[in-house]
Amino acid sequence: MLENLNNEQRLAVETTAGPLLVLSGAGTGKTRVLTTRIAHILNMGLCQPWNILALTFTNKAANEMKSRLASFSDGAWYAGDIWCGTFHSICLRILRANATRAGLGPNFLVYGEDDQKSVIKSLLTTSTKTPADYADEFSAIKDRGLVARKNTDKLFLAYNAELQRLNAVDFGDIILRTLELFDNNPDVLARYQNQFKYILVDEFQDTNNAQMEFLALLTRGIENPNICCVGDDDQSIYSWRGAEIKHILNFDKTFNDAQIIRLETNYRSTSNILNAANSLIRHNQGRLGKDLRATDTAGAGEPVYILTLPGDRDEARIIADAILRDGTKKYNDYAVLIRAGSLSRVFEEEFTTRGVPYRLIGATKFYDRMEIRDAIAYIRLLVYPFDDMSFLRVIAKPRRGFGAGAIEKLRASGTNLMDALKNTNLTKKQQLAADEFLDAFDFEWGAMPPRDAAQKLLDRVGYIKMWSESKDTDASERIANIKELITSVISKYETLPEFLEAAALMTTDDNDSDDTPNDNNAVSIMTIHAAKGLEFDTVFLPAWEDGIFPNDKAISEGALEEERRLAYVAITRAQRRCVISNAMSRMVFGTRQYNSPSRFITEMDNKYLDFQGGAPRPVYPSYNATPRTRETASRITHPKPQTLVGQLVSHDDLGGGVVIEDNGTILTIAFKSKGIKKVAREYVKVVG
């Protein structure tokens, strides 16, 4: 088991005592280290499987870890006894076991985003913000941890009170209410502290404050806790989701006497790709410092290619040409990674015209599809008849004659809506529909296999019939998705409640997606955020232009470090070939823009780059910062060229004009025939 590890990996596996931070660069085998470390701890007899808590950020990562652990066990221990899962699944398990102590009723519900918005909508009178806006706002508050208890916003308090009345928690509550459980019940906290003798955390750089508080509580008062966190500060790209890079940067301050081990041998990419990425990320000041290096077998490889093209259409055409010209590769060896989803359109159009098969990653996830959410709501109402949110979602699918007035009459009964349907005076037509609806749920589902119960319910309530009779163009696809849910998903679970528990996490975990590349022979088009953790033989990185990547907000606010980390992630997805491109002009939201090549291109060491087609290296300021090492770092200064304000200039497309503002890379020019435009400095000529 240990013989397959390099020296860095083996040291991380065998260092079992006290706090440990494993800085694991891209492609350095962090999952192997985590799983081997757990197996080593168990094989050494240091604890029992249930004494290990392994935390991940996605169900996919948790399942992969469980699968690898099962292959390691060799019958000496049972991998299923290890507490391995996402932060939310583990906290939900703790809440289920301590519902009363947490102030929840038995069989409490977990509400997804749609349910959240429905609850908020029922509380709103007038507002300039939408329920979705409030749902995001409330989730962000809860992700901050116990400080959320101090929030006094009236709608926030009313929303939480309504969840309590409905015996429900939302996604943010799963961790927050676990924190409250531990904080209010020291004996419960002590029980779990005694149980979890070893804690391991994957993707530690992505932790938010609530997740960090969970770890802090589990290790509170324990001298030299056995907590091992694996992550990469250079791949911290989710601050917009609440992730705090400070948690990984301050690990040795949070946990005294912590050891730090760096995994720097990359098993994915060639030297030139890694060296280009290293030279870029050294410009960041907020990092612990490491350099990726390729294996001896990987070799130097091709340089990172830089293309400057006239327009965005040319960019898409050249990329399609390159894919079609290379007949030795399969289409799924290629990926086009973009900074924002809106940039995909030109590639979709070009690939469709040229017959290049592609798959757009980041389309609607399986569990986010309307028909899947409807089917789950029906099943939830079968298992938990008191669930008013599910009732409201499905009562009109298909239509049954229950409008807003009828719903208000049901609400006035003071009971849950299913019970109200039995006891409220309704019109004759509504009563017939109500009886038919209630009868559909009246069967012994608990004694049936879950897939059979789900199929029977959806047939009886008329939901599948509704889609089979629908004239919608996607009706057949929706029926196929429902069939997939029943035959391939629900069939994996022993009971419907078990399925609903898993579904509740899947419908709200935005770090987890089934939209990842598969065996289909197609080019992947996706955002860089969606590509994290993936790898491809050849990666195309278009639209590397100031204002797009890095984006305008990062430039104006001086917040370039996360954008630079995102660029680092993008480059390190490539195994053999990386092609970065920029366009002299690009249509963005209906407006033609003339942006300068990305400063990130200039920041990379020229030794590892190849500027294609005779294109010169961009002529705006060089950003050759002193490399950030583990010991020292120097602040980067960006000299500005001499101002051109007042100069007469000409542009090939826009004609002649005078410069009225010069910020170094972008000129504001008053053109004689085109008015005032912003243009990249290198695309104009001084004429007087």
Side-chain angles (χ1 to χ4, degrees):
M1 183 173 66
L2 298 181
E3 60 272 11
N4 296 322
L5 304 176
N6 63 36
N7 291 336
E8 305 159 350
Q9 293 171 333
R10 184 161 185 158
L11 180 61
V13 166
E14 293 182 326
T15 304
T16 58
L20 171 66
L21 175 63
V22 180
L23 276 181
S24 178
T28 57
K30 69 178 178 64
T31 304
R32 173 186 288 185
V33 167
L34 274 171
T35 52
T36 307
R37 191 173 194 274
I38 292 172
H40 178 68
I41 289 169
L42 293 172
N43 291 341
M44 292 290 290
L46 299 178
C47 71
Q48 297 297 322
W50 50 86
N51 297 135
I52 293 177
L53 173 62
L55 295 160
T56 68
F57 275 83
T58 68
N59 292 295
K60 181 180 177 181
N63 290 334
E64 181 181 354
M65 192 178 294
K66 291 173 186 176
S67 177
R68 293 199 191 189
L69 287 170
S71 68
F72 280 144
S73 66
D74 199 25
W77 39 270
Y78 176 48
D81 286 338
I82 298 169
W83 280 52
C84 178
T86 65
F87 275 90
H88 288 91
S89 66
I90 293 298
C91 286
L92 185 56
R93 183 174 175 180
I94 292 171
L95 282 181
R96 287 287 182 207
N98 301 274
T100 304
R101 300 287 296 275
L104 295 165
N107 296 324
F108 63 84
L109 299 167
V110 179
Y111 277 175
E113 292 176 11
D114 278 5
D115 299 314
Q116 284 181 270
K117 288 183 281 190
S118 295
V119 173
I120 293 169
K121 186 177 180 180
S122 71
L123 298 171
L124 284 176
T125 51
T126 58
S127 176
T128 57
K129 293 193 288 188
T130 67
D133 293 333
Y134 283 111
D136 290 342
E137 182 181 314
F138 295 167
S139 294
I141 292 170
K142 293 180 180 183
D143 284 347
R144 296 181 195 130
L146 289 173
V147 71
R149 293 188 295 193
K150 298 179 181 179
N151 192 288
T152 58
D153 179 80
K154 290 182 179 179
L155 184 61
F156 180 70
L157 296 176
Y159 166 72
N160 288 325
E162 183 66 2
L163 289 183
Q164 187 73 31
R165 186 187 72 79
L166 294 165
N167 193 28
V169 297
D170 64 19
F171 201 52
D173 279 327
I174 294 175
I175 296 180
L176 179 58
R177 297 200 70 148
T178 304
L179 298 178
E180 292 174 341
L181 170 70
F182 285 168
D183 195 46
N184 297 331
N185 301 276
D187 59 316
V188 176
L189 172 60
R191 188 166 77 243
Y192 287 102
Q193 285 181 324
N194 291 332
Q195 177 180 341
F196 300 134
K197 301 187 184 303
Y198 288 88
I199 299 173
L200 299 95
V201 185
D202 190 15
E203 302 286 6
F204 182 61
Q205 77 279 349
D206 293 337
T207 50
N208 61 33
N209 285 338
Q211 291 158 341
M212 191 62 198
E213 283 188 8
F214 177 68
L215 298 175
L217 282 169
L218 285 176
T219 57
R220 187 171 67 186
I222 300 174
E223 187 175 355
N224 292 322
N226 297 322
I227 180 169
C228 171
C229 295
V230 180
D232 185 1
D233 52 332
D234 291 334
Q235 296 189 76
S236 179
I237 58 175
Y238 294 117
S239 66
W240 50 278
R241 273 199 313 223
E244 294 276 3
I245 192 174
K246 67 182 180 182
H247 297 151
I248 190 168
L249 296 179
N250 296 332
F251 184 87
D252 58 346
K253 298 180 181 66
T254 304
F255 300 101
N256 295 328
D257 301 321
Q259 299 184 65
I260 299 178
I261 296 174
R262 290 170 170 82
L263 306 184
E264 297 175 301
T265 303
N266 175 284
Y267 292 91
R268 174 186 301 157
S269 308
T270 59
S271 287
N272 280 329
I273 290 172
L274 296 178
N275 287 332
N278 288 334
S279 68
L280 173 63
I281 200 63
R282 288 187 194 124
H283 290 256
N284 272 11
Q285 301 303 306
R287 65 190 297 256
L288 295 170
K290 67 180 179 310
D291 275 333
L292 294 178
R293 57 179 177 272
T295 60
D296 293 337
T297 56
E302 301 175 20
V304 173
Y305 298 105
I306 310 294
L307 282 72
T308 297
L309 300 157
D312 48 355
R313 293 285 177 185
D314 303 289
E315 185 177 50
R317 176 178 53 80
I318 291 295
I319 289 174
D321 285 345
I323 293 170
L324 291 169
R325 188 168 56 245
D326 190 354
T328 63
K329 296 293 177 184
K330 297 183 295 183
Y331 287 115
N332 58 7
D333 285 329
Y334 300 94
V336 178
L337 307 184
I338 50 182
R339 175 61 183 88
S342 59
L343 295 167
S344 72
R345 180 186 57 82
V346 67
F347 294 100
E348 293 181 68
E349 293 174 356
E350 182 70 21
F351 287 2
T352 299
T353 302
R354 303 285 296 282
V356 177
Y358 69 89
R359 184 164 185 252
L360 186 62
I361 311 299
T364 305
K365 301 177 187 177
F366 182 76
Y367 281 90
D368 285 343
R369 294 180 172 96
M370 178 183 68
E371 65 275 13
I372 299 303
R373 288 185 179 270
D374 288 346
I376 290 173
Y378 265 119
I379 296 168
R380 206 164 69 178
L381 194 58
L382 176 68
V383 178
Y384 306 116
F386 57 85
D387 181 13
D388 285 355
M389 290 299 109
S390 290
F391 179 95
L392 292 171
R393 182 179 183 92
V394 302
I395 189 61
K397 297 181 179 182
R399 295 185 182 280
R400 298 183 174 90
F402 286 88
I407 296 299
E408 283 306 310
K409 187 183 292 186
L410 295 176
R411 286 184 184 276
S413 70
T415 63
N416 67 70
L417 297 177
M418 281 290 271
D419 282 346
L421 203 59
K422 303 172 187 175
N423 305 312
T424 303
N425 290 325
L426 302 168
T427 66
K428 186 175 181 180
K429 184 178 180 180
Q430 288 173 339
Q431 191 62 58
L432 288 172
D435 291 342
E436 184 179 336
F437 184 73
L438 292 168
D439 287 344
F441 291 84
D442 189 16
F443 64 97
E444 294 296 325
W445 58 269
M448 301 172 65
R451 60 177 288 175
D452 293 347
Q455 182 72 59
K456 184 172 183 176
L457 173 66
L458 295 177
D459 283 335
R460 286 168 65 109
V461 297
Y463 188 70
I464 294 177
K465 181 183 178 182
M466 180 189 80
W467 284 117
S468 65
E469 295 176 349
S470 172
K471 303 298 182 184
D472 290 359
T473 56
D474 60 354
S476 59
E477 181 182 344
R478 294 188 187 277
I479 292 174
N481 288 334
I482 296 168
K483 183 177 180 181
E484 174 75 7
L485 177 74
I486 295 171
T487 59
S488 300
V489 180
I490 296 177
S491 60
K492 295 189 299 185
Y493 297 92
E494 294 184 5
T495 66
L496 284 178
E498 184 184 349
F499 158 69
L500 290 172
E501 194 90 310
L505 294 174
M506 289 297 293
T507 55
T508 44
D509 189 349
D510 60 1
N511 282 354
D512 202 19
S513 173
D514 57 300
D515 286 323
T516 51
N518 55 23
D519 293 332
N520 293 339
N521 193 19
V523 178
S524 295
I525 303 176
M526 69 182 88
T527 65
I528 303 170
H529 283 99
K532 185 172 177 290
L534 303 178
E535 57 187 49
F536 301 89
D537 177 88
T538 300
V539 169
F540 295 98
L541 305 176
W544 276 44
E545 297 142 26
D546 268 16
I548 295 177
F549 193 31
N551 60 39
D552 280 326
K553 183 178 180 181
I555 294 171
S556 63
E557 296 180 359
L560 291 170
E561 297 222 341
E562 183 156 334
E563 288 284 285
R564 193 175 287 112
R565 291 194 292 269
L566 194 58
Y568 173 84
V569 167
I571 296 169
T572 55
R573 299 312 93 195
Q575 297 171 306
R576 184 179 65 92
R577 179 177 296 159
C578 179
V579 181
I580 298 172
S581 58
N582 61 86
M584 294 180 184
S585 70
R586 182 179 305 279
M587 189 66 73
V588 179
F589 301 124
T591 302
R592 177 65 61 182
Q593 289 188 1
Y594 300 87
N595 294 327
S596 179
S598 172
R599 63 193 63 204
F600 296 154
I601 296 174
T602 312
E603 288 179 356
M604 287 185 284
D605 194 319
N606 234 3
K607 289 185 295 186
Y608 312 113
L609 309 181
D610 183 347
F611 290 83
Q612 287 287 291
R617 187 171 176 83
V619 296
Y620 72 71
S622 175
Y623 297 97
N624 293 320
T626 302
R628 168 75 168 175
T629 66
R630 299 173 190 175
E631 294 80 21
T632 62
S634 300
R635 291 233 170 248
I636 304 169
T637 59
H638 303 250
K640 291 185 177 181
Q642 185 176 358
T643 181
L644 292 181
V645 172
Q647 292 281 354
L648 294 176
V649 295
S650 68
H651 185 279
D652 290 345
D653 294 333
L654 302 175
V658 62
V659 178
I660 59 176
E661 185 179 347
D662 180 355
N663 75 355
T665 61
I666 302 296
L667 305 177
T668 303
I669 302 173
F671 289 99
K672 293 178 181 178
S673 59
K674 300 293 183 180
I676 296 175
K677 304 286 184 183
K678 289 184 181 295
V679 180
R681 185 187 188 97
E682 59 266 39
Y683 301 134
V684 301
K685 297 176 183 177
V686 178
V687 296

